[in-house]
Amino acid sequence: MTMSPALDVKSKVRPPGAPAVALEAGRIDLFAHPMVPVATGMAVAVLVALAVGYARTSGLIVGLWAAGGVAVAVWLRTSRGRQHDLALGAILAGSILIGEIVAGNPPALSMLFTATNMMEIVTAVVLARRFAPTLNVSSLTGIVRFLGCAALAPLPAAVLSAGALSLFGDGDLIEAVQTWWFGHSLGIALIGCLGLSLTRSTLRSFARPLRALEALVLLGGLFLIYALAFLAHVPVGVFLAPMLFLIAVRLGVAGMSFSLVVLAVLAIGGAMEGYGPYSQGLASGEQVLRAQMLVLIAFVPVLLVAALLEERDRLADRAKLGQIRAEKASEAKSRLLANVAHEIKSPVAGVIGIGELWGKGQLGPVTPQQAEMADMLVKTARQVEALAHDLLDVARAEAGTVKVELRPTDVPGLLEDVRRSAILRPEARNVAIDLLCEGDGLIALADSQRVVQVVGNLVTNALKYGASGERVLMRASRVDDWIRIEVTDFGPGLTAQKQAQLFEPFNRLGLERSTIEGHGVGLALAKRLVELQGGSIGVISAPGEGATFWILLPKA
């Protein structure tokens, strides 16, 4: 048997050789106490004696078995390596043997049942470590895997025990296998889930007075409905499933597991005493089998609902925490951008002033080469200055401190101003810039200064990246209650992948090393400015067909 360090319910690995102490916030200190193996052995011995003495339903086979569940839960929660496993296994084997003898089984039969029970417990532990290594029953995947292990582990022991007993003519083989299998599977599944779901945070939650009162009320309601339905024969059994779902929603996996343990004792124990859901006209063994099937098929699946809800809540909490962290990171980034922009502006202004004085010869005689270098210096510094202004605007927009004054704005006149300014740019030397206004009343409710900034950026980009089309078209039109502004170039166009990245800040779509100037800030800033005015912005393009950037602004 390959042993591996146990994992707690929060999927955190304990370092090899570390003591079984509360290393994580979810680990319960109780399981790390050195007396836990001894206490577990005593509890297992008592449970075995009680089950053998009072719960035999199919010959010598017990229909309600809790000892295996206690042993599996504690073993999985306290494992500290091979030596600990061997010691705990020895304690459990001795406890089971003592319980069998105390209950009155002869030595040979006690040895048989001890061996098969230990085989079942070890199989469950090995399967759980192999197929559900996180032991996280508060997630849908984790609980499904653990329940699958709990269902499979008792089967070999059930076949072996029932086969051995049938050789001596004691009981029906099939019924004995079913009774052992179902009873032991329920014990491992329900008590195992309860033991694995008990975390420090869970106990703290149930220790709160209102939470404890709620749990008592719900469990009392469950017991009342069961008693009325199956003891007093009042037709209220239909409310049993809704009550279980309510417990799953309110109490989670731990509360649901405990509720199902109580329900299994009532249903199966009641069947042994001759009352319960199947107490009419059936033999005792058949009643127990049906009660076991009722719990397995009708009630245990509600555990999946409880696990799914806990996982949803946990993911929602993580998403909320991630959102808070992202917002804080965004605020920090905005502050950094604003600070950088402010720090850049002053020295750049000094560089521009010195460069202009140098180029004009006011600092002494200047050669033609020096004048050219001075012009390049001023040009580069102005690019840095423009970048600083854009960064400052981006930071302000993200921080929500950009103020826009929404007023009726004459869109055709605004676009004409942008066109006249664009014509003077060096990139427009061989490009025709046309303006088309369709219809009257093209008045938008917008901040004219910000709209000029946005449209100017779009026209500048069209001149830079679409100049090969030798034409840029500016268009304004009315679409329902919106004013639509378009800037179209007839250049190479954009792929769908590049369109999805257009409005990301500092993303130049692979043109970082090209001769085209830019920093990848303009479109991101344009998007924020348009949205601040209650509008939207987008692009329509295809490779080889140019690109049309559009803006929708509210009609005045």
Side-chain angles (χ1 to χ4, degrees):
M1 179 174 62
T2 302
M3 299 299 176
S4 61
L7 303 179
D8 80 337
V9 295
K10 291 192 175 181
S11 308
K12 297 180 179 178
V13 182
R14 186 187 331 168
V21 294
L23 295 178
E24 303 88 10
R27 177 77 66 180
I28 301 176
D29 293 334
L30 174 63
F31 285 97
H33 198 279
M35 288 301 294
V36 166
V38 177
T40 302
M42 295 173 62
V44 167
V46 172
L47 290 172
V48 169
L50 290 175
V52 174
Y54 299 100
R56 281 177 169 170
T57 60
S58 179
L60 297 175
I61 302 298
V62 174
L64 187 60
W65 189 259
V70 172
V72 170
V74 174
W75 198 331
L76 290 173
R77 292 300 296 270
T78 62
S79 178
R80 286 178 289 179
R82 185 179 299 275
Q83 291 183 350
H84 179 274
D85 288 340
L86 293 175
L88 183 58
I91 292 173
L92 292 175
S95 301
I96 295 172
L97 181 60
I98 291 172
E100 294 281 350
I101 294 174
V102 169
N105 279 336
L109 194 59
S110 297
M111 294 293 292
L112 170 65
F113 284 142
T114 298
T116 52
N117 274 285
M118 283 304 300
M119 179 177 69
E120 169 186 298
I121 293 170
V122 171
T123 302
V125 170
V126 172
L127 289 177
R129 288 176 173 175
R130 174 62 180 85
F131 297 104
T134 63
L135 304 182
N136 184 7
V137 294
S138 295
S139 70
L140 184 60
T141 301
I143 199 168
V144 167
R145 291 187 175 190
F146 181 76
L147 291 179
C149 296
L152 293 175
L155 183 57
V159 174
L160 182 59
S161 297
L165 292 176
S166 68
L167 294 177
F168 300 99
D170 192 346
D172 179 75
L173 176 63
I174 301 300
E175 181 180 314
V177 170
Q178 290 176 331
T179 302
W180 178 297
W181 185 18
F182 297 157
H184 289 228
S185 293
L186 276 174
I188 296 175
L190 300 183
I191 298 178
C193 283
L194 178 60
L196 295 177
S197 64
L198 288 178
T199 65
R200 182 181 298 175
S201 59
T202 302
L203 291 183
R204 280 200 302 264
S205 173
F206 284 109
R208 297 198 298 265
L210 290 179
R211 182 73 165 168
L213 179 61
E214 180 186 28
L216 289 175
V217 170
L218 290 176
L219 293 174
L222 179 67
F223 178 81
L224 179 61
I225 292 174
Y226 184 88
L228 291 175
F230 300 121
L231 301 182
H233 301 290
V234 178
V236 293
V238 68
F239 296 107
L240 198 58
M243 178 58 73
L244 286 174
F245 278 101
L246 182 59
I247 292 174
V249 172
R250 299 300 306 164
L251 303 185
V253 174
M256 192 67 226
S257 300
F258 183 79
S259 301
L260 291 182
V261 170
V262 174
L263 205 57
V265 172
L266 292 175
I268 301 172
M272 294 175 185
E273 298 298 326
Y275 59 84
Y278 304 107
S279 59
Q280 303 296 326
L282 295 174
S284 175
E286 185 66 22
Q287 290 183 39
V288 170
L289 280 174
R290 293 200 178 191
Q292 290 174 331
M293 293 299 295
L294 173 68
V295 177
L296 280 169
I297 295 176
F299 300 153
V300 170
V302 187
L303 269 173
L304 306 182
V305 177
L308 182 61
L309 293 175
E310 280 200 17
E311 186 174 27
R312 181 206 62 182
D313 293 341
R314 187 167 57 253
L315 292 176
D317 291 340
R318 289 179 182 175
K320 185 176 181 179
L321 181 60
Q323 180 181 1
I324 293 173
R325 289 176 176 173
E327 290 174 353
K328 289 182 178 179
S330 179
E331 292 175 1
K333 180 195 69 176
S334 298
R335 288 195 299 269
L336 176 63
L337 288 178
N339 291 336
V340 169
H342 278 296
E343 294 297 328
I344 288 176
K345 289 171 64 178
S346 296
V348 166
V351 171
I352 292 174
I354 294 173
E356 290 178 343
L357 292 175
W358 180 26
K360 293 177 181 179
Q362 296 182 14
L363 300 180
V366 179
T367 65
Q369 184 179 8
Q370 290 174 338
E372 183 180 357
M373 294 298 295
D375 289 339
M376 291 179 60
L377 176 66
V378 172
K379 181 180 179 181
T380 303
R382 291 198 181 280
Q383 291 175 1
V384 176
E385 184 182 40
L387 173 61
H389 284 291
D390 287 344
L391 288 176
L392 188 58
D393 284 337
V394 169
R396 288 172 176 170
E398 290 185 345
T401 59
V402 173
K403 294 182 179 180
V404 292
E405 297 182 4
L406 302 181
R407 299 176 180 176
T409 301
D410 179 25
V411 173
L414 182 148
L415 295 183
E416 177 62 24
D417 291 341
V418 173
R419 188 186 74 85
R420 290 176 179 177
S421 177
I423 290 175
L424 302 177
R425 296 184 62 87
E427 299 91 341
R429 188 173 304 162
N430 299 316
V431 180
I433 302 178
D434 299 326
L435 174 60
L436 175 63
C437 296
E438 301 175 349
D440 299 326
L442 300 178
I443 308 297
L445 187 63
D447 186 320
S448 59
Q449 181 180 356
R450 295 300 183 180
V451 175
V452 168
Q453 183 178 357
V454 171
V455 177
N457 179 271
L458 296 181
V459 173
T460 300
N461 285 346
L463 293 173
K464 288 180 180 179
Y465 302 106
S468 59
E470 299 182 352
R471 184 188 178 205
V472 172
L473 174 63
M474 302 166 62
R475 176 183 299 170
S477 60
R478 181 173 171 178
V479 180
D480 297 329
D481 292 331
W482 301 88
I483 301 299
R484 183 181 177 96
I485 301 173
E486 296 179 358
V487 176
T488 302
D489 68 67
F490 299 88
L494 298 164
T495 64
Q497 182 180 3
K498 289 185 176 181
Q499 291 179 45
Q501 304 171 8
L502 266 178
F503 298 97
E504 296 177 0
F506 308 105
N507 190 340
R508 295 200 61 206
L509 308 181
L511 297 176
E512 291 81 359
R513 297 185 178 181
S514 68
T515 57
I516 300 176
E517 299 175 357
H519 304 93
V521 178
L523 288 178
L525 176 59
K527 183 176 187 297
R528 287 171 173 80
L529 292 178
V530 170
E531 291 172 348
L532 283 173
Q533 299 175 74
S536 56
I537 186 172
V539 63
I540 302 172
S541 182
E545 299 181 7
T548 296
F549 286 83
W550 54 264
I551 302 170
L552 286 179
L553 294 172
K555 179 178 69 67

